[in-house]
Amino acid sequence: MMKSVYYAAAKINLSLDILGKREDGYHLMEMLMQSVSLFDRVEISIDYRKSGIQLECNMPEIPLNEKNLAWKAAERFLKAAGIQTAVHIQIDKKIPSQAGMAGGSADAAAVLVGLNEMLGLPLEEKKLFAIGLSIGADVPFCMAGGTKYVKGIGEQIISVPALPECTFLIVKPVQGVETAACFHRYDLCSDIRHPDTLAILEALEKGSKQGVFSKMRNVLEQAAECPAVENLKERITQYRPLGCAMTGSGSAVAAAFESASEAERCFNSLADLQKEGARLFLACPVPYGVCREQSLDHLQFAVH
């Protein structure tokens, strides 16, 4: 039996825009995405003497069958690679659900990367990414990680300069947002306020931290219908972050601060929300989406 541990990084959106809609219903996206130091722990075990997929998770609300993206990743990988073996996946989740932080996609990415590594790299990266895209639009980014410009339905992943050093305060309110419903409401919006993603890319090229974060925007905020998001942004902006926006389809809000001390000061001011059930995190940008356990040794990060 083989066993390995992988860490799947959450993502946030520095920019999220919708450029149109395909005939098949998929939205054409333009996004600047960033991996952050908030991880799900994914332990993968392989036993050639048996067959089948088993999944365990520390969160009781997470499905443990083919509805889970990590399960789908294992199933589709084994089929594509033509390998019969038993796969056991144990997920210790830290990334919140219904947050817009790609928690399920990150787990699927870890399973794809992990199985391919553990089984001797039977699939080329292009095939691995194609499997990921078939599972979910965020899976390819979660495999690539770092700072990326993402277009199409998630299949166009373009490397850009790394994000300048900063500390993120991420708050997931009690209220969540269902992704499909959010996109449906967006389709009904008439007065749409689009972000300027290209301006953020130009600021990245110039190394302008202020230019990057001052333009943090998410076109889906106007369709989230989540009062907690606006309330959070109002409270956070009192502490003068470099930028603040909802991530993904919500409901988590990410704010960038110049220093960890400034982020912690804002974090402490939201203690009442934590008592009500909101989840608060401090994190930093990381240059990967999936990493091995030993890769974390150098990294300082805090999860609250």
Side-chain angles (χ1 to χ4, degrees):
M1 179 181 288
M2 292 188 291
K3 182 183 294 185
S4 291
V5 174
Y6 294 85
Y7 284 82
K11 68 87 178 170
I12 63 170
N13 289 89
L14 303 174
S15 178
L16 187 156
D17 200 5
I18 298 175
L19 304 183
K21 195 175 182 180
R22 302 196 319 190
E23 290 184 1
D24 60 8
Y26 282 97
H27 292 81
L28 295 171
M29 313 296 293
E30 182 182 54
M31 301 175 287
L32 189 61
M33 302 170 77
Q34 176 65 52
S35 302
V36 296
S37 59
L38 171 60
F39 304 95
D40 282 354
R41 182 183 185 274
V42 182
E43 182 179 286
I44 304 172
S45 301
I46 295 173
D47 189 346
Y48 283 109
R49 300 167 300 176
K50 302 177 182 178
S51 62
I53 300 169
Q54 289 185 312
L55 183 62
E56 294 182 47
C57 184
N58 63 319
M59 296 292 185
E61 69 272 16
I62 300 299
L64 302 178
N65 52 29
E66 63 277 0
K67 294 181 180 180
N68 189 292
L69 299 189
W71 176 295
K72 289 182 180 180
E75 182 179 54
R76 295 183 190 185
F77 177 91
L78 293 176
K79 182 178 180 181
I83 295 173
Q84 289 190 343
T85 185
V87 176
H88 183 271
I89 305 164
Q90 184 158 351
I91 302 174
D92 181 12
K93 287 201 72 65
K94 295 289 189 296
I95 306 171
S97 302
Q98 290 195 335
M101 300 180 70
S105 295
D107 297 338
V111 170
L112 290 174
V113 171
L115 285 176
N116 202 42
E117 182 176 290
M118 295 170 71
L119 294 171
L121 304 177
L123 299 183
E124 295 181 352
E125 185 179 85
K126 185 177 180 179
K127 178 62 176 178
L128 212 59
F129 273 68
I131 296 172
L133 187 64
S134 76
I135 296 167
D138 284 337
V139 178
F141 167 78
C142 289
M143 294 169 63
T147 311
K148 296 291 189 295
Y149 178 44
V150 181
K151 297 183 66 179
I153 60 171
E155 81 283 8
Q156 300 176 46
I157 302 174
I158 302 164
S159 293
V160 296
L163 194 67
E165 185 176 337
C166 65
T167 299
F168 288 107
L169 166 64
I170 303 168
V171 185
K172 164 58 174 68
V174 176
Q175 183 182 1
V177 176
E178 203 278 316
T179 299
C182 185
F183 275 91
H184 177 69
R185 289 192 295 267
Y186 171 83
D187 290 337
L188 301 176
C189 289
S190 55
D191 183 22
I192 298 173
R193 302 177 298 281
H194 292 277
D196 192 347
T197 305
L198 294 181
I200 300 179
L201 288 172
E202 290 177 6
L204 266 180
E205 293 285 351
K206 296 176 181 177
S208 171
K209 188 182 296 189
Q210 184 62 34
V212 170
F213 292 118
S214 65
K215 296 185 181 298
M216 280 182 72
R217 298 286 188 279
N218 184 340
V219 76
L220 288 177
E221 281 188 27
Q222 53 208 299
E225 290 190 0
C226 182
V229 169
E230 284 305 313
N231 177 58
L232 272 173
K233 290 183 67 177
E234 288 178 8
R235 292 186 62 174
I236 291 171
T237 51
Q238 294 177 22
Y239 288 82
R240 298 186 178 181
L242 296 168
C244 181
M246 186 180 81
T247 186
S249 59
S251 61
V253 172
F257 287 87
E258 184 76 46
S259 67
S261 60
E262 290 174 316
E264 288 171 2
R265 183 166 165 261
C266 186
F267 177 100
N268 292 333
S269 76
L270 302 175
D272 60 309
L273 298 180
Q274 199 169 21
K275 292 177 182 177
E276 294 170 5
R279 298 184 64 191
L280 280 67
F281 309 92
L282 295 175
C284 61
V286 294
Y288 44 73
V290 179
C291 66
R292 293 292 298 271
E293 194 166 12
Q294 57 265 33
S295 302
L296 295 172
D297 293 344
H298 70 286
L299 183 63
Q300 297 292 323
F301 66 96
V303 177
H304 297 262

